[in-house]
Amino acid sequence: MRAKKRSYWNTNVTTKERWQEQYKDVTFDIDTHVNVRRWCSRRDRHECRCWLYG
């Protein structure tokens, strides 16, 4: 936070100790997108060139 949003840090957080207190109450919204290009069964994964096993 301090490196990327310097102005926010300087006006709202100001110290490491205050950040540690505020961070405890932070909630995160995580949005993910997964695109599986090829699926392999466990039996033939050594022959398959899928993204998971290379």
Side-chain angles (χ1 to χ4, degrees), residues 13 22 27 33 36 38-39 41 46 49:
V13 182
Q22 290 177 355
T27 59
H33 176 78
V36 178
R38 194 179 290 176
W39 179 82
S41 68
H46 65 280
R49 304 276 311 170

Side-chain angles (χ1 to χ4, degrees), residues 36-54:
V36 178
R37 294 173 30 187
R38 194 179 290 176
W39 179 82
C40 304
S41 68
R42 290 176 58 91
R43 186 177 49 129
D44 67 354
R45 71 179 175 201
H46 65 280
E47 297 173 6
C48 183
R49 304 276 311 170
C50 65
W51 66 273
L52 185 59
Y53 298 108

Side-chain angles (χ1 to χ4, degrees), residues 1-48:
M1 176 64 74
R2 186 174 62 188
K4 296 285 184 181
K5 301 288 185 179
R6 171 84 58 200
S7 62
Y8 179 84
W9 180 274
N10 290 338
T11 57
N12 297 305
V13 182
T14 65
T15 66
K16 176 183 172 184
E17 292 76 21
R18 189 159 175 201
W19 172 248
Q20 289 172 340
E21 282 299 314
Q22 290 177 355
Y23 190 76
K24 292 177 188 177
D25 299 323
V26 172
T27 59
F28 296 94
D29 291 326
I30 300 172
D31 184 24
T32 61
H33 176 78
V34 176
N35 183 13
V36 178
R37 294 173 30 187
R38 194 179 290 176
W39 179 82
C40 304
S41 68
R42 290 176 58 91
R43 186 177 49 129
D44 67 354
R45 71 179 175 201
H46 65 280
E47 297 173 6
C48 183

